[in-house]
Amino acid sequence: MSKIQMKTPLVEMDGDEMTRILWQMIKDKLILPFVDLKTEYYDLGLKHRDETDDQVTVDSANATLKYGVAVKCATITPNAQRVEEYGLKKMWKSPNGTIRAILDGTVFREPVLVKGVSPCVKNWKKSIVVARHAYGDVYKNTEYAVKGPGKAEICFTDENGVETRQTILEFKGSGIMQGLHNTDASITSFAHSCFRYALDQKKDLWFSTKDTISKTYDHRFKDIFADLYENQYKEAFEAAGIEYFYTLIDDAVARVIRSEGGMIWALKNYDGDVMSDMIATAFGSLAMMTSVLVSPNGQYEYEAAHGTVTRHYYRHLKGEETSTNSVATIFAWTGALRKRGELDNLPDLCAFADKLEKATIDTIEGGEMTKDLVGLFQGEAKGLSSEGFLDAIAAKLA
Ligand code: NAP
Ligand code: MG
């Protein structure tokens, strides 16, 4: 059997711990036997990040700007304990943060659905994609504890030194306050990523904020989205048969719950943080949540939403059998291969991605899965090891 050929390499970002083990097994068992895989390999494992003073992370992000499609394994974001464990030169920043800063992207998260693991919301038939703005608001705030009576003001000094002041509150006693910001540039790039992704996926786009209360701040988000839609995306949306609509977040929450799913739900930073956890949990499990970073210029980086599954890795190191769910990591690979196939006009590569996804879902629906799913599954379920699960998928795929 001749292998499927590729034209342009994928940017491959290897990672850490249990997901690094899964990464190699996925390639060996599910991809290399079928695809003449072309990748430009970057080892983002913590040891190599340390050896290169984290230059490898920057290089991998720049390679993504060059080639357009990357697939990333989960990586450790070091804390004090990791600095000690790995003897690091320094507490390196989160690789995802570094990559996001270079690609300037928006993160889209989507659960993988299988029959037998039903969503808590019984009318949800299709997945719901959450698009979270990843800059500013409460995540870049300035907070202040007011000790006693006094006047709180918001003050802006322009380039010429001219001050504009507004009173926040005449405090009668102690209290708290915080300053928030966002920029038109960041909101605009968020909006472009959302519109492009909706067209790419042929899904409706919903956007919601609290603009009735926040008449300047949230309203700016609404206006920027509306302007871009009217002037740049409306025709393409109509041609694709999809819809963009804005609604107040209260209304959106009610509609999402009553819907059958299938939309992309764009949210401000905090709303997206909270709602993506709600959506992931309601659909089943974090191990089934996929994630893709889309830049405003149309570069894509695919990954699993979960971390490196440290506890399983320590068991693996002790020689114990693990049962780690590889679905989100497999779907990171299929997402990247399919996108590469679309961009390079390689229908065989796209078809392979479809088949691998189907083999994965069929394996679970047929009752073979990792142990995290066994408790959630309605029907007879066999809990397999990490490797056993991949072997079962490989058998289906062959
Ligand atoms: P985690 O790796 O997502 O794991 C948390 C727990 O969730 C696991 O202990 C496991 O529960 C369960 N779990 C997650 N993924 C699973 C899977 N694929 N199969 C089965 N169970 C799964 O989060 P964490 O323990 O908070 O973080 C570990 C490391 O990952 C940290 O160093 C963190 O910096 C890093 N991290 C990286 C990323 C990323 O690269 N995108 C994201 C988040 C965290 P049980 O142990 O109960 O089975
Ligand atoms: Mg959260």
Side-chain angles (χ1 to χ4, degrees):
M1 196 178 73
S2 68
K3 290 188 189 180
I4 297 162
Q5 296 298 309
M6 292 178 66
K7 281 185 193 153
T8 317
L10 282 178
V11 178
E12 176 183 355
M13 305 171 175
D14 207 345
D16 288 300
E17 300 194 312
M18 200 59 213
T19 40
R20 189 181 179 99
I21 308 285
L22 296 178
W23 194 259
Q24 194 58 50
M25 291 200 287
I26 290 168
K27 279 168 63 180
D28 289 343
K29 291 175 190 288
L30 301 179
I31 298 173
L32 293 171
F34 308 98
V35 179
D36 196 3
L37 186 66
K38 270 202 182 115
T39 74
E40 196 164 290
Y41 180 85
Y42 293 86
D43 182 1
L44 267 54
L46 185 51
K47 189 164 162 286
H48 193 239
R49 271 182 277 150
D50 194 52
E51 285 162 4
T52 62
D53 294 337
D54 210 21
Q55 186 59 39
V56 66
T57 309
V58 173
D59 290 347
S60 72
N62 285 327
T64 308
L65 288 177
K66 178 177 165 193
Y67 291 114
V69 186
V71 56
K72 181 181 171 291
C73 180
T75 47
I76 293 169
T77 298
N79 53 17
Q81 182 258 319
R82 297 295 198 167
V83 172
E84 182 142 324
E85 180 183 354
Y86 283 79
L88 301 179
K89 295 181 206 160
K90 164 173 172 187
M91 200 186 292
W92 304 108
K93 283 198 234 157
S94 149
N96 286 42
T98 303
I99 294 165
R100 207 179 298 150
I102 293 170
L103 294 183
D104 179 27
T106 298
V107 175
F108 297 85
R109 293 199 155 173
E110 179 171 16
V112 175
L113 303 194
V114 293
K115 287 193 204 86
V117 181
S118 28
C120 301
V121 180
K122 62 179 187 303
N123 42 285
W124 284 355
K125 305 263 182 307
K126 300 177 203 158
S127 67
I128 295 169
V129 181
V130 172
R132 172 185 171 188
H133 186 208
Y135 177 80
D137 305 348
V138 74
Y139 301 85
K140 282 247 191 273
N141 64 3
T142 308
E143 298 191 302
Y144 187 79
V146 176
K147 301 287 182 303
K151 181 162 140 184
E153 287 176 294
I154 198 164
C155 171
F156 177 75
T157 312
D158 76 12
E159 292 174 314
N160 305 316
V162 180
E163 288 184 0
T164 316
R165 283 170 186 277
Q166 268 174 268
T167 301
I168 298 171
L169 185 73
E170 303 268 3
F171 278 87
K172 301 273 185 293
S174 58
I176 41 177
M177 59 182 186
Q178 68 175 331
L180 306 184
H181 79 277
N182 224 299
T183 65
D184 288 355
S186 177
I187 301 165
T188 303
S189 95
F190 171 50
H192 276 299
S193 296
C194 291
F195 287 125
R196 278 170 172 266
Y197 197 66
L199 286 168
D200 185 72
Q201 299 284 305
K202 304 237 180 329
K203 287 182 175 153
D204 290 344
L205 177 65
W206 298 15
F207 181 46
S208 56
T209 71
K210 192 73 176 175
D211 67 296
T212 48
I213 299 298
S214 175
K215 292 188 195 319
T216 301
Y217 197 107
D218 280 17
H219 208 91
R220 178 64 65 89
F221 280 81
K222 177 181 174 179
D223 286 346
I224 287 175
F225 269 72
D227 272 4
L228 278 183
Y229 181 68
E230 284 301 322
N231 297 316
Q232 292 189 39
Y233 291 100
K234 193 174 180 183
E235 278 174 27
F237 267 57
E238 283 169 1
I242 57 172
E243 192 187 9
Y244 166 69
F245 87 97
Y246 174 87
T247 185
L248 190 65
I249 190 160
D250 316 43
D251 179 52
V253 167
R255 283 180 190 236
V256 164
I257 295 293
R258 272 189 265 112
S259 76
E260 59 167 38
M263 77 293 281
I264 298 167
W265 187 12
L267 291 155
K268 285 175 60 200
N269 210 347
Y270 171 81
D271 301 336
D273 184 354
V274 177
M275 292 302 166
S276 66
D277 280 354
M278 192 268 290
I279 297 282
T281 309
F283 271 106
S285 152
L286 187 61
M288 304 286 278
M289 198 74 173
T290 64
S291 183
V292 56
L293 175 71
V294 182
S295 81
N297 305 316
Q299 283 108 2
Y300 294 78
E301 184 240 278
Y302 293 84
E303 63 179 319
H306 60 76
T308 59
V309 212
T310 310
R311 272 197 293 221
H312 296 209
Y313 180 60
Y314 290 154
R315 258 179 255 149
H316 168 83
L317 288 181
K318 281 196 269 174
E320 293 169 24
E321 190 179 89
T322 58
S323 181
T324 314
N325 190 331
S326 45
V327 171
T329 308
I330 293 171
F331 274 66
W333 275 100
T334 53
L337 290 170
R338 183 185 296 107
K339 178 53 69 184
R340 200 63 272 167
E342 284 167 16
L343 294 174
D344 293 346
N345 195 18
L346 299 170
D348 286 355
L349 194 59
C350 297
F352 171 75
D354 293 344
K355 282 177 200 157
L356 176 49
E357 288 183 358
K358 186 171 185 313
T360 304
I361 290 170
D362 286 352
T363 301
I364 299 172
E365 291 181 350
E368 295 179 295
M369 63 202 74
T370 45
K371 288 177 183 155
D372 56 306
L373 292 182
V374 171
L376 301 171
F377 195 76
Q378 291 130 348
E380 199 156 328
K382 194 159 99 195
L384 302 176
S385 66
S386 307
E387 191 168 8
F389 178 60
L390 291 169
D391 286 334
I393 298 170
K396 276 237 156 46
L397 190 60

